[in-house]
Amino acid sequence: MAEVKQADDGVQIDLISGERMEGMASMEKIRMILDGVHEGNIVILEEGLSPDEESKLIEVTMTEISPDEFNGIEIETYPKGDTADSGLFDRLMGKDPETKKLTVIGPANQIETLHKDETLISALVSRK
Amino acid sequence: MGLITDIRDSISRSIASLFSAEDPKRIGIYGPPNAGKTTLANRIARDWTGDAIGPESHIPHETRRARRKENVEIERDGKSVTIDVVDTPGVTTKVDYTEFLEHDMEKDDAVRRSREATEGVAEAMHWLREDVDGVLYVLDSTKDPFTQVNTMLVGIIESQDLPVLILANKTDLPESNIRRIENAFPQHETIPLSALEGDNMDEVYDKIADYFG
Ligand SMILES: Nc1nc2c(ncn2[C@@H]2O[C@H](COP(=O)(O)OP(=O)(O)OP(=O)(O)O)[C@@H](O)[C@H]2O)c(=O)[nH]1
Ligand SMILES: [Mg+2]
């Protein structure tokens, strides 16, 4: 992640490549995401998280919520499409389409989803 | 060879029956806040054991600790299935205590409610990864089911290969839209019901016996 300092009147956006995430352990990914979000950044993951990582992300987020400081996260991915053709074989080959979806995560009090469907996520981001 | 296989089969069968006798399947009731999970859990518990599981409320995050009702024996067509019913706190990715202030709550109480809610959701997520054998996923059928929490939770449940039934609750309300839920989760079976009125509970019990028996 480029260490761009957040300007007073701007919002930092971190676009994290699938390649960068590949070598990371689940908890490292979650830490990286939540550290960014705590600073008021919008974190965009090129390839998203696995269901297990999403579950841990929710769990860790809950433990970090603190009144008047941190309300939690807003997270958006595209809704899952037709999974009829993603069999066990694809999963074994690591080709699970559900885990390869662009994911946007931000502080709950700064990001609001305006519209979302299978192919489009539209969000409003406000300053801290 | 045949004898050994027979013995092995009979051993695994007796182990299986041992487990099914002493270890009823643990069925987690999951879903977003206010969907009617506790209302459903109470109805199931009252119908088959005579007492309730916990308080219901129109204020979200009423349930803040997973609660379990053990050995709920459901009878279907002369057979019976025994399950443990686990009512869980509504899952969310954010909790803002100031929203509780709108429900006439003092700040202290609102802050406490939000703290308990976050602990409860964390616990519910943990349970989902480790301690449940099947899921009843409850949705308020008057609400849009295409939310991130629903997408993620159903994805998590699927990734664990847990059997899941989608329950489209609150069908007694005029705005109820069952089709919208069926379309959101076409890969799963959706059952309409009103946990409050007790409508269509027979089908719910039939399917529970089918899926988790
Ligand atoms: N009309 C109608 N209202 C219902 C139904 N089921 C539940 N409710 C109402 O919805 C509200 C929430 O019900 P609960 O059972 O507390 O919901 P919950 O999912 O357990 O909520 P949390 O524990 O906060 O996550 C209450 O006011 C219930 O009376 C239903 O079938 N029809
Ligand atoms: Mg409840």
Side-chain angles (χ1 to χ4, degrees), chain A residues 52 55-56 59, chain B residues 26 30 122-134 156 160 162:
Chain A
D52 194 61
S55 152
K56 288 177 182 141
E59 187 176 341
Chain B
R26 205 173 275 168
Y30 280 83
E123 185 186 50
M125 294 313 298
H126 205 87
W127 273 69
L128 185 54
R129 289 201 308 273
E130 322 243 307
D131 286 315
V132 297
D133 305 307
I156 292 162
Q160 315 239 46
L162 293 171

Side-chain angles (χ1 to χ4, degrees), chain A residues 24-62:
Chain A
M24 297 173 88
S26 294
M27 281 316 287
E28 284 180 287
K29 297 182 195 172
I30 288 164
R31 207 52 274 155
M32 174 187 69
I33 294 164
L34 286 176
D35 286 348
V37 170
H38 274 298
E39 285 177 22
N41 304 344
I42 305 301
V43 180
I44 300 178
L45 309 176
E46 184 188 24
E47 292 191 349
L49 297 169
S50 71
D52 194 61
E53 289 164 348
E54 287 179 342
S55 152
K56 288 177 182 141
L57 176 66
I58 297 174
E59 187 176 341
V60 178
T61 299
M62 287 298 125

Side-chain angles (χ1 to χ4, degrees), chain B residues 138-170:
Chain B
V138 182
L139 290 164
D140 179 339
S141 61
T142 68
K143 299 246 162 72
D144 181 7
F146 287 101
T147 67
Q148 184 63 24
V149 162
N150 292 336
T151 307
M152 283 195 296
L153 271 177
V154 171
I156 292 162
I157 292 161
E158 287 169 354
S159 75
Q160 315 239 46
D161 287 324
L162 293 171
V164 56
L165 282 172
I166 309 276
L167 301 185
N169 191 32
K170 310 199 184 183

Side-chain angles (χ1 to χ4, degrees), chain B residues 31-40 42 55-64 87-91 113 138 140 169-173 193-198:
Chain B
N34 224 38
K37 298 178 293 301
T38 304
T39 308
L40 174 69
N42 283 340
E56 307 156 12
S57 163
H58 67 285
I59 308 175
H61 299 295
E62 179 62 25
T63 307
R64 299 185 291 283
D87 179 29
T88 70
V91 174
R113 190 181 181 92
V138 182
D140 179 339
N169 191 32
K170 310 199 184 183
T171 53
D172 56 294
L173 298 175
L193 79 153
S194 165
L196 190 68
E197 304 290 336

